Amino acid sequence: MPDAPDEHEKLATVRIQVDPRSRAETLEEELGEAARVLRQGGTVAFPTETVYGLGGNALDRRAVARIFAAKGRPQDNPLIVHIAQMETLDNIASSVSPEARRLADRFWPGPLTLILPKSDVIPDEVTAGLKSVAVRMPSHPVACALIQAAGVPIAAPSANISGRPSPTAADHVWRDMAGRIDMLVDGGATDIGLESTVLDMTCWPPVVLRPGGVALEAIRELIPETRILAGEDNLKLAPRSPGLRHKHYSPSSELWLVVGEWKSQVREIAERAAAEARCGRRVGLLVSAETAAELRALLAPESGFPESESLERYVIVAEVGSRDYPQEVASALFDGMRRLDEADVGIMFAESYDTAGVGLAIMNRLTMAAGGRVVEV
Ligand code: TXA
Ligand code: MG
């Protein structure tokens, strides 16, 4: 699958701006044109609390086909259906277990996607032929108002070209999607910065197929048996979550993930960055504020570190917030990857994080972006 299929028909993408702090009625009014585009089978990118989504009418096969075409997304990777009201759930899923309902009551609206048995109103194109459907009710005021105004459930994958990091700002969407979609609703930067948690409720115990905005710990408070796919299980269960088979969350240049005791990670990143710079290769460092500070001290010209004078020219740092506040890291991670890509680095290094709370999703995205390039120290 090409990164950006050239044969795509060129569209005049309309960009509008709305203030997510406006009243719901104001938003619905301002989003009238976007809602009309959706009802007529067009594609509209919009902010959610996780990442920007690329929406189309989930009941319209042609709209769904346009989403796949715009993203260059493999046809076997199903979409999440977004709803604005609890009643809609029963139209989309053929049955909702009491456990699934408890989860929806507890975490919706919010960053939790439930995999449930699919009803007949959802076309096979949305679910890539699966008998199950992914459903989520976003909490972002712009997403809520848009779905509400459209009056139909909205199928929406992340609004990036397939394989690239998910967009956390309207400019990210614009760079990937201008000319490929009908409309972009700019509602500012997204809050969480990583995608929703995908939880398979078609089996017992439930299985987290993708860690995300709702922490595993929080789901286990309701359903302690909840399992998580890890390591090789990802591949074994590939048919159940097609998305896991595909390249994901990746910057263009190769990313190496360094794991181990923190100070050792810092030392390893410094040595590798210096070695790359020595060969005249531009190096990107996707690191926390704490790690960036250590690296700057370590690599400063007066530090005596080998070749440190060439570092300023070759090493580009994208800081992603504090290690003490993993949510800061989550919301800055994809933007950091994109910034380093734009700085045209040949290689990136990232540190690793504790897997508690949102840390699990951070480590999942970094591991997938690294695609096996992990250095243990
Ligand atoms: O936060 C999010 O979830 C964002 C916003 C826009 O809502 N959306 C998002 O969509 O990340 P997408 O398409 O990038 O990721 C959806 C994931 C994929 O890994 C896909 O394979 C999985 O959900 N998925 C969708 N339907 C499924 C199903 N029926 N069974 C198993 N996995 C499914
Ligand atoms: Mg995606």
Side-chain angles (χ1 to χ4, degrees), residues 145-157:
L146 180 61
I147 301 165
Q148 195 67 36
V152 289
I154 301 297

Side-chain angles (χ1 to χ4, degrees), residues 54-304:
L54 175 55
N57 179 354
L59 309 178
D60 179 344
R61 291 167 202 277
R62 287 168 317 140
V64 172
R66 289 191 184 111
I67 294 175
F68 278 91
K71 279 183 62 88
R73 183 176 175 104
Q75 297 291 334
D76 62 352
N77 195 2
L79 307 180
I80 298 173
V81 177
H82 295 68
I83 61 175
Q85 281 167 346
M86 204 54 102
E87 298 84 80
T88 320
L89 177 60
D90 294 295
N91 301 333
I92 289 165
S94 63
S95 72
V96 182
S97 65
E99 290 79 18
R101 217 170 280 281
R102 277 176 66 214
L103 288 162
D105 285 340
R106 168 74 181 78
F107 295 109
W108 285 359
L112 177 67
T113 295
L114 298 175
I115 309 291
L116 298 166
K118 155 190 173 327
S119 86
D120 293 338
V121 301
I122 300 296
D124 286 336
E125 285 81 353
V126 172
T127 64
L130 295 178
K131 296 267 173 287
S132 60
V133 62
V135 194
R136 133 168 155 83
M137 188 192 290
S139 63
H140 195 289
V142 174
C144 298
L146 180 61
I147 301 165
Q148 195 67 36
V152 289
I154 301 297
S158 49
N160 49 284
I161 294 279
S162 195
R164 290 200 191 146
S166 292
T168 55
D171 283 344
H172 298 167
V173 180
W174 189 255
R175 254 168 249 143
D176 276 16
M177 291 296 175
R180 311 172 69 84
I181 61 177
D182 294 305
M183 204 162 176
L184 164 60
V185 179
D186 178 351
T190 63
D191 192 21
I192 297 173
L194 299 177
E195 305 86 341
S196 62
T197 302
V198 178
L199 184 65
D200 191 347
M201 294 302 293
T202 64
C203 52
W204 190 264
V207 180
V208 171
L209 300 177
R210 177 179 75 182
V214 170
L216 177 62
E217 294 90 329
I219 294 172
R220 283 190 173 150
E221 271 174 29
L222 254 73
I223 306 182
E225 300 92 333
T226 306
R227 292 197 305 125
I228 169 130
L229 286 187
E232 284 183 13
D233 282 348
N234 270 339
L235 299 173
K236 280 189 214 138
L237 279 162
R240 228 167 63 199
S241 187
L244 297 173
R245 273 205 302 275
H246 301 290
K247 183 169 171 279
H248 243 121
Y249 316 115
S250 315
S252 310
S253 51
E254 68 183 47
L255 182 146
W256 287 82
L257 177 60
V258 182
V259 299
E261 188 269 321
W262 178 57
K263 284 276 180 177
S264 311
Q265 288 185 48
V266 173
R267 186 84 207 165
E268 183 73 19
I269 293 175
E271 276 167 11
R272 286 186 179 244
E276 294 292 338
R278 207 173 296 145
C279 303
R281 207 170 176 197
R282 285 164 74 79
V283 189
L285 304 181
L286 186 67
V287 289
S288 65
E290 292 86 347
T291 298
E294 292 280 325
L295 285 170
R296 284 196 186 101
L298 207 54
L299 299 176
E302 61 279 9
S303 70

